[in-house]
Amino acid sequence: MSAVSKDQFNIAQVEFTSIHVRGPHKWVFVEVSDGDGHTGLAELAGSGAATEIAKLTAEYAEQLRLSPPVNEADVTPRLGLTGADLEADRAKATAVSALRTAISDAQARRDGVGLTEFLGGQPMDSVMLYGNLNRSMLPDDDGPRDRSPEAFGRAAHEAIRRGYGVVKCAPFDEVRSPFEEPGLPEAARSGIDRIAAVRDAIGPDIPLFVDCHSRFDLDSGIALEIILRESNVSWYEEAVDGIAHPEVMKRIREHATMAVAGAESGYGVALFRRIIEGGVMDVVMPDIKFCGGAGEAVEIGRVLEGIAPGSVSMHSPSGPASQLASAHVTAAFEGTRPLEHAWGEVDWRPSVLEPAERIESGRIYIPEGPGLGARLDRPTVEARGQRWTL
Ligand SMILES: [Mg+2]
């Protein structure tokens, strides 16, 4: 839990910033300031982030102006929302998560402590990452990228060159259940070839994670796991949507020899606890953009790691603000799994923050200083971003 402050957090200003990344993708940030000029930063995600979710975030901020929270954990009750409301509504969960993360950052700055410490942890200078090559394989401003097995192999080689000690890929985006025949669908063939190419490129010893983007079903998910063993895959993510279909995920896990992971869009410690205690997955992947924010993520990490060590790894195919907050969270709950980083989207990414994001040799470095330790870089926002208030 975050340090409890006796003071209310009086919201004075809420500002949004959108930065085009590449292709259809953008990063959307929200900054929340109190009357004393302490500003906290968070990210919003989702296709409606720049419009509907930003509007909902501004509406919630307006409600919190009338009923100020004492800290980030007080946001949900002040808004009259329950955990069940937020589990059921992704837009609400996203708006609440962003406000909670931003308020944590602002209050840590006010207290003059780093976010890790504010969230009850011991400061660390860096956190281990795994290198997700998926974003580097998605369309850029010139259109779709080469997604041949050879291209996946080259990207995996680049991940190793950059120093990642663990690699993840998402090779099955052509696959879509339901299927006409039992067993593995023909559409999975190219994905299996990509995995073999990635394994070839990284050698036998680097752990390889595979994300299936919920493209399979029970029968094909069990069949695929057997194939993944041939490439020594150690992490089997989202064969199916494990939040919507926990009974299917659980049955796949019962057949699996590798860690079964997922639940990246889930909200709240209660949900993640049900997943782990119910034997649905080995590893849950809370995302601070949806799970309730930085404070809730630390709670999830502490509770679940206490039940099953190694059961939490933050989901983070995110912009630099969420990446850094997720590093603080992982440090605070002393996560033993590496944190996700989706590298290779745009080469100017580090310049979005001041000081610049520092990712080297498969680790993210946490800047010294209060709160996140970094802010949005004004010259970069001026050159690349759009700012607005609601
Ligand atoms: Mg995923």
Side-chain angles (χ1 to χ4, degrees):
M1 297 292 290
S2 13
V4 174
S5 162
K6 297 286 176 282
D7 302 325
Q8 293 177 340
F9 188 83
N10 295 299
I11 295 178
Q13 194 176 18
V14 178
E15 281 193 277
F16 298 92
T17 299
S18 167
I19 297 180
H20 171 74
V21 185
R22 66 184 235 183
H25 185 212
K26 59 192 162 200
W27 292 315
V28 181
F29 304 92
V30 59
E31 289 169 291
V32 180
S33 306
D34 70 8
D36 300 318
H38 303 110
T39 300
L41 174 65
E43 280 183 45
L44 295 171
S47 53
T51 50
E52 297 87 18
I53 296 172
K55 197 160 160 251
L56 185 60
T57 306
E59 282 171 22
Y60 284 166
E62 193 54 39
Q63 287 182 47
L64 294 173
R65 227 191 273 259
L66 303 173
S67 177
V70 293
N71 60 20
E72 59 84 22
D74 195 27
V75 165
T76 310
R78 292 279 168 190
L79 293 173
L81 294 166
T82 66
D85 295 334
L86 294 166
E87 266 191 40
D89 189 320
R90 174 82 170 266
K92 289 178 182 173
T94 304
V96 164
S97 298
L99 288 168
R100 288 180 64 182
T101 297
I103 289 172
S104 297
D105 181 26
Q107 289 195 317
R109 288 177 195 274
R110 178 203 60 197
D111 294 354
V113 298
L115 187 60
T116 304
E117 199 176 344
F118 184 77
L119 297 169
Q122 294 294 323
M124 293 175 68
D125 83 323
S126 66
V127 167
M128 185 182 170
L129 301 171
Y130 68 82
N132 182 353
L133 54 87
N134 187 45
R135 291 288 165 112
S136 77
M137 307 297 291
L138 294 180
D140 61 17
D141 292 346
D142 299 324
R145 301 290 307 269
D146 178 6
R147 289 178 61 83
S148 65
E150 295 72 27
F152 269 70
R154 284 193 296 275
H157 193 265
E158 173 63 13
I160 298 305
R161 194 193 65 76
R162 290 174 183 233
Y164 294 101
V166 180
V167 171
K168 182 164 104 176
C169 64
F172 291 114
D173 285 355
E174 296 88 355
V175 179
R176 187 173 296 268
S177 66
F179 311 115
E180 296 191 348
E181 306 285 332
L184 263 184
E186 188 52 37
R189 175 48 52 194
S190 56
I192 292 165
D193 291 344
R194 289 167 184 149
I195 292 168
V198 167
R199 174 50 82 199
D200 257 6
I202 65 179
D205 300 326
I206 296 276
L208 174 56
F209 295 1
V210 171
D211 185 355
C212 301
H213 288 169
S214 310
R215 300 289 174 147
F216 293 88
D217 58 13
L218 175 61
D219 193 57
S220 61
I222 291 170
L224 178 61
E225 196 272 341
I226 293 165
I227 302 289
L228 295 183
R229 295 177 200 174
E230 290 168 17
S231 291
N232 196 21
V233 171
S234 56
W235 165 294
Y236 184 22
E237 179 175 335
E238 297 268 318
V240 299
D241 179 338
I243 294 176
H245 305 290
E247 68 297 335
V248 178
M249 192 71 140
K250 184 174 179 172
R251 286 190 60 195
I252 292 171
R253 177 174 176 253
E254 284 163 0
H255 288 264
T257 56
M258 59 197 70
V260 165
E264 62 194 42
S265 62
Y267 174 87
V269 65
L271 170 80
F272 291 105
R273 190 174 184 149
R274 287 201 303 276
I275 290 170
I276 292 299
E277 290 187 334
V280 175
M281 300 176 201
D282 299 289
V283 182
V284 291
M285 304 174 64
D287 187 317
I288 63 162
K289 301 189 301 302
F290 320 120
C291 78
E296 187 79 16
V298 171
E299 177 77 0
I300 293 162
R302 291 219 178 101
V303 169
L304 271 63
E305 291 283 336
I307 297 168
S311 61
V312 182
S313 174
M314 299 296 294
H315 180 250
S316 184
S318 308
S322 262
Q323 186 78 54
L324 181 54
S326 299
H328 279 285
V329 164
T330 301
F333 76 77
E334 297 177 29
T336 56
R337 298 263 184 188
L339 168 64
E340 179 165 29
H341 176 54
W343 58 270
E345 273 184 294
V346 284
D347 58 8
W348 47 264
R349 172 184 166 117
S351 74
V352 172
L353 294 184
E354 166 54 40
E357 179 181 62
R358 187 178 158 211
I359 290 174
E360 286 169 19
S361 301
R363 301 189 75 84
I364 179 168
Y365 287 82
I366 299 178
E368 286 184 14
L372 282 173
R375 303 176 180 281
L376 287 180
D377 181 72
R378 295 298 163 203
T380 300
V381 168
E382 252 168 57
R384 298 186 177 276
Q386 285 183 297
R387 284 174 76 77
W388 75 99
T389 55
L390 289 168

